[in-house]
Amino acid sequence: MEASKEKEMEGTRTQDEDFQVVLPNKESNSLVISDSVGPSQALSPIRKQNMGTACGPFLEEKKETESYLQERAYGAQACRDEQDMRIHSAAVVKSSEVEFPVQFRELQSNTDLKRPPSNWLQEHSSIRLPNPTLKHADFSSFLMAHQFPDCIGEVDVVSDAENIKKLLKIPYNPKAHVSMMIHRVGKTLLIDEFDIYKYLLRQSKKEWHWLRKFFFEHVLQSLTQMENVLVRPNKSRNVVQSRSLLSKFLYHSINEEEKRPPSPPTQPERSPISVRRPSVIMNEVMPEPSLEEQLPQSSGESFTRNVVWNFEDLHMLIGTDLPIFGGGKHPCVSLRLRDMSRPINILTGIDYWLDNLMCNVPEVIMCYHLDGIVQKYELIKTEDLPHMSDSQFSPRLVRDVAQNILAFLNSKATKEGHTYWLFKGKDDDIVKLYDLTSLSFEGRICVDGNEEETQTEDSGNPFTVPVAMLFYRVAKNMRSSEDYHTKIATIRALLKNSLTLLDKKEYPKIVSSAHYMLSDLYVPQDIDPDSPVLSDCSDEDSEWLSGGGSDEEAECSSDEENSCRFESQSVAPSNPSSTIKVSSLCLPHATKTQSHYYKAPPLLGSLEERCYNALNHVVEALQCLCDSRGKEQEHSGSPGEKESPMCSPRSPEQQEPKMARPFQPIPMPYSPLNSKDNSALVIAKEKKIDTQLTVSILSHQYIVASWWDKLSVLLLRKAALVYLVLARSSCNAQRYGLALRYIKFSFHAWHCMASRLCGHLEIPVPNQALALAGDTYYMLSKSWEEVASHIEDFNNVTNVHQDMLGLFECLEPSEEIYKRLKFACDVEEALVMSLQHFEKALSSADKQTYFHLLRRLGNVCNELGVMYMNQSAKLWEEENVGFEASKELWTKSAELLNRGIEAFTQVGDIANVALLHSNTGRLMRLCAFYCVPAEGHRVFSATERHYYNQAVTEYQKALDILKQRKKSIEIWDLVVWEFCTTLYTFASLMQDHPPYAFAAGDDLAREIVDLLSKALKYCDVKSPGARQPLYQYRAAVIYMRLAGIYHSAVRAGESDTKNMRHLAERNYNKAAALFMQLENPVDILKVQLDRAVLIEDQIQGMTNQQHLIKHHISILQLLVETKQALKTCHSMAKLKVDQGGLDGKEHRDDGVDKDVDKDGRQEKDNAAAKDRKLGENSDEEVTLAPENTSNEDEDNQKIRALLMVFEKKLHSSLMSLIKIMSGISKASKKSNIGIDAATLKQMYSTSLNTQSLPLPEHLLNAINFIAPILHQATMYR
């Protein structure tokens, strides 16, 4: 059988006879040494000499013919290498415990290597040589993984170089015995040598019980010969002597006499694989597992060199102790000691070749000896090692073996957290892989005590905790890396696997830390609560073996169902045992080696779902800390002590008594003699701050006593943040009751954190939380009609919140917090609480958020001020309590509005400043309105005048701040309308109810004219819009009032009567033109009658008949111009009759010709009914809601009174014309006006209501008859 295997290998070597190893042109900086060796120490480039030749001088050059033949043969071999397939290999040193280079010294011929050199077994700074007394750690892959956690997930294998070489030599060594433990972390496999004899036979039965039982019951029973399995380490005398001789040879080869030049400056060289280096240090430093928790067994010596080796498409992190020398023209070589009496076999050649590849060493120097006496040296290049005589092998076969073994392990060892045993017995042709964890779960190994009652704590899997700690360390390292955001899904998978393997009772610190990091993945600490937006976090550039392939991770909790919905290539579950033939390892591996892994599931789900997941992890972590602290107090505390499970323990220095220490002076108290203070000053060194026990809160660093305190503070801070994010999300969704509940929980968590951090200091609540509380109360006041649903949301508490509240109650009672943050009883309380929270937020806000908070504060002040304003007006109107009784509300309103003006002024928001000035002006108008006594003679009082002056001042300030309409069109239009209304009302009240001080003077009329003219200035009658009819009507009324003032001056006979009459006529005309456009019959009739009265006043005392006729004709023309108004009155009367109302003639009475000031009355009523609504948006228009106080009966009475006056004016003018025309000759009558006396009499008779028609209809018929005749007379004139 062995002969057939040798023939197969020989055939393979024949097919792959020549290969070339491609090494990088530029050597690693840690492997390059300077060329400082003298000529006497130069090495001859000897190539592939006959290994049987043992004679000749030391490094003697061959004859020219032999050199020519060798060079020719080497050239032919090189040509074949170029045509054949190449092996790609590169190595990057991750760490090294020695300095490079070390100078190489050639030993003289016949040097006795058995004699130890003077420097034997002494430490050397430039090289680390083998020491027979030192030994590496048994499970070195865990040590390397913890040293370089950034490589986990990037490399395929982490192992000792000897383990890699042993696996790659399996096809060449049928007698090889393989026993290795395999563990998977992501796509990385951890491979360690497992000594069966040491761990299963020499140790006590309590240790490794789980594996010993399986070994004896299954492995030994399947093999016929026990010696094929229990292979003891070879510790024979020859082996020990060989190791000792090699050690002495290497120490002899160190050239300590030669002065080593300084090392060249190192330049960073990037690894061929993407190796991350953490550059972003997180503020919170998570605890590290202890060394005992990291490694399955106690640690040993570390490797001289840790190298990332890229062999074809395989990436491996390996540890190696290969000594590297240099000197002269050969700056990087490895030394080998060979016995000339024994040829080099193929296994030794593979060893030399792989060692050089792993360390990027291009050459090897062979030193041949006979019985410890140096004979000669030989220099061989690394690419020539596979072609040495008696040790030829195929590099491609080695590559295929490596790829096949890795492919086998990747396809079978798929579950993270499981322990796999790779086993091959001596002279066995198959390699077996056992999933020990799955076998124990299936009952093949009794580890749970169901089958055996005598189970101890050590009977469990000793690799479970180290693997879990490695998961934790790798996740922690990824979390502090630069590409942290692209590795969130991977970190979550690692932490979940770690929590699955760890017992929270035994390792509460690590479990709590893992829960905290998981909560930070769902809701990062740097999230902005004001805009909580979370993207789908999935790994973009790396793939990771998730625990989803295992049965434990296949089931997702209800809170994480959305995060488990992803499409990926599922991992095939590994069988409890798998095998592969050794012959299969030699088959060509055509495809690229890939492991059966898939991308970790991304963190999907809505914001609320991720927040709930984060809260679940926070609850688990806090509960774990509480339980662990409670157990600790049970063991160490006295029964009478009652302390919170989360209270701070005393530091170790406080627990241990202070005792004197040798070589350390005892500080003595000292005080200067001239000091008045008798207290002693104790001089002591300041304690160094442990940066690992610091917590960053609001940009301040706080020191805690222990890891328990730090984790508690971090978890409580995370809970406060998550609840704040939930509150903002609920507020955005208009669920304000739910938002208030979350804010209450956030405040509770924050106060618990502050009490744990420093109970004697007060840590302010973040202004973001206070501002959110203010926003929520403000928006709650705006949606008070839905208060029932908000109260239900506020009182509804789910299970996870109930658990969290239970933990909070253990830390700090919540009565004080509930008083600070409760559900408002009404709108006023909601606004008051909003104002209080904004004030607190301003006290601790930075410059960036200060102005935003000021704007919100101004909005609340305006809303609250307007509310108090309306409440006082309503109180006065409904309960008639009087002005003094509601003065407190007026004062509060004024204070809040002034405070809002100050806030908006600091922000520079001119639109809102103008708006609040306008609201203050409205407040002054209402004060002026309600300060009038309800009884007694109505007089415009000084108090009323004072308030109106303040209102005018406030409106003028608003316009001065805005300056131009284009800055804020809506606010400008509003302020202008309010200002115009105030001026008009002010003037109207002074005109209608003049004060006593101005009763006898002309200053009152002048002031009224000024106010009306100013009001008229702000009446924009030309610009189209919703307010254009209002402005037109206001302007018409103002013209009427101005005309009335001038008319009164004419009647009073003041000086410059002609000018006054002209001004009265002009204002009457403008008012009539505007009233005609508005088509209001009452106003049209009134203005036309007033114009007629003005003409009548002018007629009095006039004797010129022509002037009299002209003025009477003008009066008739004014009356005829009311034709459209009469039609409207007739239509209204007819409509009323059709609806069953009273007939017009049934209500004929003696009306009074009096001035009806419709707009003046309405303006006062409207001022009490206006309500401003200032929303969150500062540019929102304040709308008016005028009330229509006039009713239909009053309008009918006004119309009837005006029509009666109209009828009298018509009769009077016609009668006067008839009288004048009667005294003039018949010929002259016709020539003057074009109407004779008979026609005038006919017109007068028509104006008489002989048929008893309704008054509007009668007057309309008369005007229809008179109008053509009057038009003809006018044309004639």
Side-chain angles (χ1 to χ4, degrees):
M1 181 177 178
E2 293 181 0
S4 62
K5 287 184 179 179
E6 291 179 358
K7 290 181 180 180
E8 291 179 2
M9 295 183 197
E10 193 67 23
T12 306
R13 288 194 295 267
T14 304
Q15 294 175 2
D16 304 316
E17 184 174 335
D18 299 316
F19 295 91
Q20 179 180 0
V21 178
V22 180
L23 295 175
N25 295 328
K26 182 179 180 180
E27 305 297 339
S28 176
N29 53 9
S30 59
L31 298 179
V32 177
I33 59 177
S34 60
D35 187 6
S36 60
V37 182
S40 62
Q41 295 155 342
L43 297 177
S44 303
I46 303 175
R47 302 180 184 275
K48 296 185 68 176
Q49 294 185 358
N50 187 5
M51 307 307 293
T53 305
C55 58
F58 177 65
L59 293 180
E60 182 182 2
E61 296 184 0
K62 298 301 179 181
K63 297 181 180 180
E64 296 182 359
T65 55
E66 293 177 355
S67 300
Y68 174 76
L69 294 175
Q70 291 176 359
E71 292 175 1
R72 183 175 180 182
Y74 181 79
Q77 182 68 33
C79 293
R80 291 193 300 269
D81 291 342
E82 292 177 357
Q83 297 174 0
D84 209 338
M85 183 179 180
R86 298 187 176 186
I87 299 296
H88 297 276
S89 175
V92 175
V93 177
K94 294 285 294 181
S95 68
S96 178
E97 295 189 3
V98 296
E99 299 179 5
F100 295 103
V102 61
Q103 300 301 315
F104 166 67
R105 182 170 67 92
E106 294 184 11
L107 302 180
Q108 298 296 329
S109 181
N110 298 324
T111 299
D112 189 4
L113 298 179
K114 296 180 182 179
R115 298 181 58 184
S118 60
N119 62 349
W120 190 40
L121 302 182
Q122 294 181 2
E123 294 184 359
H124 199 280
S125 61
S126 298
I127 195 170
R128 192 185 202 185
L129 300 181
N131 189 342
T133 61
L134 300 178
K135 188 178 181 181
H136 290 297
D138 290 334
F139 303 99
S140 56
S141 68
F142 286 90
L143 181 61
M144 288 191 293
H146 282 284
Q147 288 177 347
F148 307 100
D150 53 334
C151 291
I152 304 301
E154 299 287 349
V155 299
D156 299 305
V157 175
V158 176
S159 183
D160 185 355
E162 297 299 324
N163 296 334
I164 301 298
K165 291 191 293 182
K166 180 179 292 187
L167 291 175
L168 299 185
K169 292 188 297 184
I170 289 178
Y172 295 94
N173 187 14
K175 298 182 179 295
H177 172 262
V178 178
S179 176
M180 297 182 183
M181 289 295 176
I182 312 294
H183 296 88
R184 176 175 288 282
V185 182
K187 79 167 190 175
T188 303
L189 295 174
L190 275 63
I191 303 178
D192 294 286
E193 177 73 19
F194 183 72
D195 191 344
I196 299 176
Y197 181 76
K198 175 180 178 181
Y199 290 104
L200 300 185
L201 299 181
R202 293 182 57 185
Q203 294 188 5
S204 64
K205 294 183 179 180
K206 295 182 179 180
E207 298 178 358
W208 302 83
H209 175 81
W210 62 286
L211 184 56
R212 182 181 295 105
K213 181 177 180 64
F214 168 75
F215 178 75
F216 283 104
E217 291 183 358
H218 296 82
V219 178
L220 287 182
Q221 293 179 2
S222 62
L223 299 176
T224 57
Q225 297 181 358
M226 183 176 294
E227 59 270 12
N228 292 342
V229 180
L230 301 178
V231 179
R232 300 183 180 182
N234 190 356
K235 296 183 180 180
S236 62
R237 185 170 179 271
N238 292 333
V239 173
V240 174
Q241 288 180 350
S242 299
R243 293 177 180 174
S244 177
L245 189 65
L246 175 61
S247 176
K248 294 174 184 177
F249 162 69
L250 293 176
Y251 276 95
H252 273 296
S253 301
I254 298 176
N255 186 8
E256 295 184 347
E257 298 178 358
E258 188 70 22
K259 205 170 190 181
R260 183 170 57 89
S263 301
T266 60
Q267 297 181 356
E269 184 172 330
R270 191 174 180 84
S271 172
I273 62 172
S274 176
V275 179
R276 294 187 308 271
R277 278 295 184 188
S279 61
V280 179
I281 300 177
M282 307 300 291
N283 291 331
E284 60 273 2
V285 180
M286 292 292 102
E288 295 283 352
S290 62
L291 185 61
E292 292 77 9
E293 296 170 347
Q294 295 178 12
L295 304 179
Q297 294 292 327
S298 59
S299 176
E301 283 293 322
S302 59
F303 291 100
T304 305
R305 220 170 288 103
N306 292 293
V307 180
V308 175
W309 180 38
N310 299 328
F311 183 59
E312 286 294 321
D313 59 341
L314 308 180
H315 309 293
M316 292 174 275
L317 175 63
I318 58 175
T320 177
D321 292 325
L322 178 67
I324 300 177
F325 292 81
K329 298 180 180 179
H330 308 280
C332 185
V333 295
S334 60
L335 295 184
R336 299 293 180 178
L337 183 64
R338 294 299 305 167
D339 191 348
M340 294 189 67
S341 61
R342 298 178 182 177
I344 300 177
N345 58 22
I346 189 172
L347 299 179
T348 304
I350 294 176
D351 263 350
Y352 294 170
W353 182 66
L354 291 177
D355 279 335
N356 278 18
L357 290 183
M358 291 176 181
C359 296
N360 257 7
V361 178
E363 298 171 322
V364 59
I365 295 179
M366 298 281 194
C367 178
Y368 295 95
H369 73 95
L370 285 175
D371 196 19
I373 306 300
V374 175
Q375 300 297 319
K376 67 172 183 177
Y377 280 89
E378 181 182 9
L379 180 66
I380 304 176
K381 291 187 176 297
T382 301
E383 59 265 26
D384 295 335
L385 289 174
H387 314 297
M388 294 190 307
S389 58
D390 298 331
S391 65
Q392 295 181 0
F393 61 91
S394 171
R396 190 175 68 179
L397 181 59
V398 177
R399 179 206 62 188
D400 292 338
V401 171
Q403 293 176 338
N404 288 325
I405 290 178
L406 184 60
F408 171 70
L409 295 177
N410 282 331
S411 61
K412 302 303 179 181
T414 58
K415 297 181 181 178
E416 289 184 292
H418 283 221
T419 299
Y420 296 89
W421 185 20
L422 187 67
F423 178 78
K424 175 186 175 297
K426 187 177 179 181
D427 294 327
D428 198 355
D429 59 348
I430 60 173
V431 181
K432 298 181 180 180
L433 181 69
Y434 298 99
D435 185 355
L436 301 179
T437 306
S438 297
L439 291 173
S440 64
F441 289 157
E442 292 178 5
R444 301 182 186 180
I445 305 175
C446 181
V447 295
D448 55 358
N450 292 331
E451 298 179 5
E452 290 188 5
E453 297 180 357
T454 59
Q455 291 294 322
T456 62
E457 295 180 357
D458 294 334
S459 62
N461 188 344
F463 297 101
T464 300
V465 174
V467 171
M469 294 299 177
L470 185 57
F471 288 154
Y472 170 81
R473 281 289 308 277
V474 174
K476 178 176 172 293
N477 180 75
M478 284 187 176
R479 184 170 170 266
S480 60
S481 61
E482 291 180 350
D483 53 352
Y484 154 70
H485 295 287
T486 63
K487 300 294 181 184
I488 290 181
T490 297
I491 298 173
R492 183 186 65 164
L494 286 169
L495 292 175
K496 281 186 170 294
N497 290 332
S498 178
L499 291 175
T500 304
L501 299 177
L502 288 178
D503 184 5
K504 64 179 181 180
K505 297 180 181 179
E506 298 294 333
Y507 307 96
K509 184 170 66 174
I510 302 300
V511 170
S512 301
S513 302
H515 277 298
Y516 169 75
M517 287 190 286
L518 279 171
S519 67
D520 192 67
L521 294 180
Y522 285 105
V523 181
Q525 190 63 35
D526 57 353
I527 190 176
D528 185 8
D530 292 335
S531 56
V533 178
L534 295 174
S535 59
D536 294 340
C537 302
S538 59
D539 291 359
E540 299 176 358
D541 58 347
S542 67
E543 295 180 343
W544 196 266
L545 176 65
S546 172
S550 62
D551 298 336
E552 296 81 11
E553 292 293 333
E555 298 179 358
C556 299
S557 63
S558 59
D559 293 335
E560 300 179 4
E561 289 179 358
N562 292 330
S563 63
C564 295
R565 298 172 185 171
F566 60 93
E567 296 179 358
S568 61
Q569 179 186 359
S570 61
V571 176
S574 61
N575 296 324
S577 62
S578 305
T579 60
I580 185 174
K581 294 183 178 180
V582 175
S583 59
S584 301
L585 298 177
C586 303
L587 298 177
H589 193 85
T591 59
K592 184 178 180 180
T593 304
Q594 294 183 354
S595 58
H596 294 265
Y597 54 84
Y598 56 89
K599 286 189 176 182
L603 269 69
L604 302 177
S606 62
L607 178 66
E608 288 76 12
E609 291 171 346
R610 292 182 61 172
C611 288
Y612 273 97
N613 289 334
L615 289 177
N616 286 328
H617 288 292
V618 171
V619 170
E620 291 289 338
L622 287 175
Q623 190 63 49
C624 180
L625 290 177
C626 289
D627 295 342
S628 64
R629 183 52 54 87
K631 290 185 178 181
E632 184 177 326
Q633 291 178 357
E634 290 178 2
H635 291 290
S636 60
S638 60
E641 294 180 356
K642 292 183 179 180
E643 192 175 1
S644 173
M646 301 289 288
C647 64
S648 299
R650 293 189 301 169
S651 62
E653 295 182 359
Q654 295 175 348
Q655 294 177 359
E656 296 179 0
K658 295 183 179 180
M659 302 180 66
R661 298 180 181 179
F663 307 105
Q664 182 176 352
I666 301 175
M668 301 295 292
Y670 165 77
S671 61
L673 297 177
N674 56 357
S675 176
K676 296 182 181 180
D677 188 5
N678 295 327
S679 61
L681 301 178
V682 180
I683 303 174
K685 295 183 179 180
E686 296 183 357
K687 298 180 180 180
K688 295 183 179 180
I689 298 176
D690 189 358
T691 56
Q692 293 185 350
L693 295 180
T694 59
V695 183
S696 177
I697 305 294
L698 299 178
S699 302
H700 295 283
Q701 297 292 331
Y702 296 89
I703 304 175
V704 294
S706 64
W707 277 109
W708 272 264
D709 291 328
K710 177 172 182 176
L711 290 174
S712 301
V713 169
L714 291 178
L715 290 167
L716 291 171
R717 185 187 67 178
K718 177 62 66 177
L721 175 64
V722 173
Y723 278 124
L724 194 61
V725 172
L726 284 172
R728 173 58 69 181
S729 177
S730 301
C731 186
N732 295 339
Q734 299 181 0
R735 300 185 64 182
Y736 305 118
L738 190 61
L740 283 178
R741 188 188 72 189
Y742 288 144
I743 294 173
K744 182 180 68 175
F745 293 163
S746 179
F747 281 12
H748 200 169
W750 186 267
H751 287 291
C752 292
M753 181 205 68
S755 65
R756 297 292 304 139
L757 198 57
C758 46
H760 60 283
L761 296 177
E762 183 178 356
I763 301 177
V765 179
N767 54 43
Q768 282 184 318
L770 295 171
L772 180 57
D775 289 338
T776 305
Y777 277 117
Y778 176 76
M779 298 307 298
L780 179 63
S781 67
K782 289 296 184 181
S783 61
W784 196 255
E785 61 277 0
E786 301 176 359
V787 66
S789 62
H790 297 322
I791 293 176
E792 183 180 357
D793 288 339
F794 183 81
N795 296 326
N796 185 19
V797 180
T798 58
N799 294 333
V800 61
H801 303 312
Q802 196 67 41
D803 296 340
M804 187 73 75
L805 287 179
L807 294 172
F808 290 165
E809 290 294 336
C810 296
L811 303 175
E812 183 179 354
S814 58
E815 289 80 5
E816 183 179 358
I817 299 173
Y818 290 156
K819 291 180 182 179
R820 297 178 186 176
L821 200 72
K822 62 179 182 178
F823 198 88
C825 299
D826 51 17
V827 177
E828 179 183 355
E829 186 177 7
L831 289 175
V832 171
M833 298 188 72
S834 175
L835 183 62
Q836 293 175 355
H837 283 90
F838 281 135
E839 289 174 346
K840 292 180 182 179
L842 281 172
S843 62
S844 61
D846 53 7
K847 293 182 179 180
Q848 186 176 2
T849 58
Y850 186 78
F851 294 104
H852 297 285
L853 293 175
L854 275 177
R855 189 184 301 274
R856 301 178 189 177
L857 180 67
N859 287 336
V860 177
C861 289
N862 179 74
E863 286 288 337
L864 201 54
V866 171
M867 187 189 69
Y868 286 143
M869 184 194 312
N870 296 332
Q871 284 182 357
S872 61
K874 186 177 180 180
L875 186 67
W876 190 91
E877 291 178 356
E878 294 182 356
E879 301 181 10
N880 197 16
V881 296
F883 179 75
E884 295 297 330
S886 60
K887 192 173 182 179
E888 183 180 357
L889 293 176
W890 301 113
T891 304
K892 286 183 179 180
S893 177
E895 291 176 353
L896 288 168
L897 290 175
N898 291 331
R899 190 172 182 182
I901 291 173
E902 294 176 359
F904 285 124
T905 302
Q906 294 183 32
V907 176
D909 190 350
I910 60 175
N912 273 328
V913 172
L915 189 57
L916 264 70
H917 275 298
S918 177
N919 286 342
T920 306
R922 174 176 174 250
L923 175 65
M924 296 298 104
R925 286 174 53 197
L926 291 177
C927 289
F929 180 79
Y930 291 113
C931 72
V932 178
E935 299 177 356
H937 182 64
R938 178 72 170 92
V939 178
F940 191 75
S941 63
T943 304
E944 193 175 1
R945 181 186 183 88
H946 168 72
Y947 283 126
Y948 271 111
N949 285 329
Q950 286 189 347
V952 171
T953 303
E954 293 295 331
Y955 287 122
Q956 190 62 53
K957 287 181 181 179
L959 292 179
D960 294 341
I961 291 172
L962 291 176
K963 294 182 181 180
Q964 296 178 356
R965 182 174 182 268
K966 62 181 181 181
K967 289 186 177 180
S968 181
I969 297 177
E970 295 181 356
I971 302 298
W972 175 274
D973 293 341
L974 172 66
V975 174
V976 166
W977 171 257
E978 293 285 334
F979 193 21
C980 176
T981 303
T982 303
L983 293 172
Y984 168 75
T985 306
F986 190 6
S988 300
L989 292 174
M990 291 182 66
Q991 185 179 10
D992 298 340
H993 312 285
Y996 295 116
F998 294 92
D1002 297 336
D1003 294 339
L1004 178 62
R1006 189 178 299 106
E1007 185 176 358
I1008 293 173
V1009 170
D1010 292 340
L1011 290 173
L1012 291 175
S1013 300
K1014 194 173 183 179
L1016 190 61
K1017 175 184 175 182
Y1018 292 104
C1019 291
D1020 187 8
V1021 298
K1022 296 181 180 181
S1023 300
R1027 283 199 176 98
Q1028 186 181 17
L1030 298 177
Y1031 277 123
Q1032 289 177 343
Y1033 186 79
R1034 174 69 52 76
V1037 174
I1038 292 175
Y1039 283 129
M1040 282 284 294
R1041 287 189 171 272
L1042 287 173
I1045 293 174
Y1046 295 132
H1047 193 175
S1048 299
V1050 172
R1051 285 185 174 184
E1054 298 179 358
S1055 59
D1056 200 6
T1057 305
K1058 183 178 180 180
N1059 186 31
M1060 292 296 173
R1061 183 181 291 109
H1062 173 70
L1063 292 175
E1065 290 178 355
R1066 189 175 67 177
N1067 285 284
Y1068 276 134
N1069 293 336
K1070 292 181 178 179
L1074 291 173
F1075 282 137
M1076 293 293 182
Q1077 295 179 11
L1078 297 174
E1079 299 180 355
N1080 191 339
V1082 176
D1083 297 314
I1084 293 174
L1085 291 174
K1086 185 176 181 305
V1087 70
Q1088 294 299 93
L1089 292 175
D1090 287 344
R1091 294 172 70 185
V1093 171
L1094 180 62
I1095 296 175
E1096 289 177 352
D1097 292 341
Q1098 188 179 0
I1099 291 175
Q1100 293 179 2
M1102 186 178 295
T1103 58
N1104 190 338
Q1105 294 182 352
Q1106 295 294 331
H1107 289 173
L1108 290 173
I1109 294 173
K1110 178 182 177 181
H1111 288 309
H1112 284 297
I1113 294 296
S1114 298
I1115 293 174
L1116 290 176
Q1117 287 178 348
L1118 292 175
L1119 298 177
V1120 169
E1121 289 176 359
T1122 62
K1123 180 179 179 180
Q1124 189 64 34
L1126 292 175
K1127 289 182 178 179
T1128 304
C1129 294
H1130 174 61
S1131 300
M1132 294 171 58
K1134 187 177 180 181
L1135 180 62
K1136 185 176 181 181
V1137 172
D1138 294 340
Q1139 292 177 354
L1142 297 177
D1143 196 0
K1145 63 181 181 180
E1146 296 176 2
H1147 291 273
R1148 292 178 65 92
D1149 56 5
D1150 298 332
V1152 181
D1153 184 13
K1154 57 182 180 179
D1155 294 341
V1156 182
D1157 184 10
K1158 175 182 177 180
D1159 188 81
R1161 187 191 70 254
Q1162 280 186 346
E1163 194 61 37
K1164 289 178 64 178
D1165 296 336
N1166 293 345
K1170 288 182 295 181
D1171 183 21
R1172 286 174 174 80
K1173 301 293 182 182
L1174 178 64
E1176 183 73 17
N1177 188 355
S1178 61
D1179 294 334
E1180 184 177 353
E1181 180 183 354
V1182 178
T1183 59
L1184 295 174
E1187 293 182 358
N1188 187 10
T1189 58
S1190 61
N1191 52 55
E1192 189 176 357
D1193 294 336
E1194 291 181 357
D1195 289 341
N1196 291 331
Q1197 292 178 5
K1198 292 177 184 178
I1199 292 174
R1200 181 169 297 280
L1202 290 173
L1203 290 178
M1204 293 176 65
V1205 174
F1206 182 90
E1207 185 179 21
K1208 292 179 181 180
K1209 295 294 182 183
L1210 180 60
H1211 292 167
S1212 175
S1213 297
L1214 290 174
M1215 183 61 67
S1216 298
L1217 284 175
I1218 291 173
K1219 290 180 180 180
I1220 294 172
M1221 294 300 294
S1222 299
I1224 302 175
S1225 60
K1226 193 173 182 179
S1228 61
K1229 284 190 283 185
K1230 185 107 177 174
S1231 60
N1232 288 332
I1233 61 174
I1235 305 175
D1236 53 6
T1239 305
L1240 289 173
K1241 292 179 180 180
Q1242 186 179 0
M1243 293 169 60
Y1244 179 77
S1245 63
T1246 306
S1247 64
L1248 298 174
N1249 192 4
T1250 57
Q1251 299 179 0
S1252 301
L1253 295 175
L1255 186 58
E1257 184 180 358
H1258 161 65
L1259 294 178
L1260 181 60
N1261 294 335
I1263 292 300
N1264 289 333
F1265 178 77
I1266 296 173
I1269 300 173
L1270 190 63
H1271 177 70
Q1272 182 179 1
T1274 304
M1275 295 295 295
Y1276 174 78
R1277 295 178 60 190

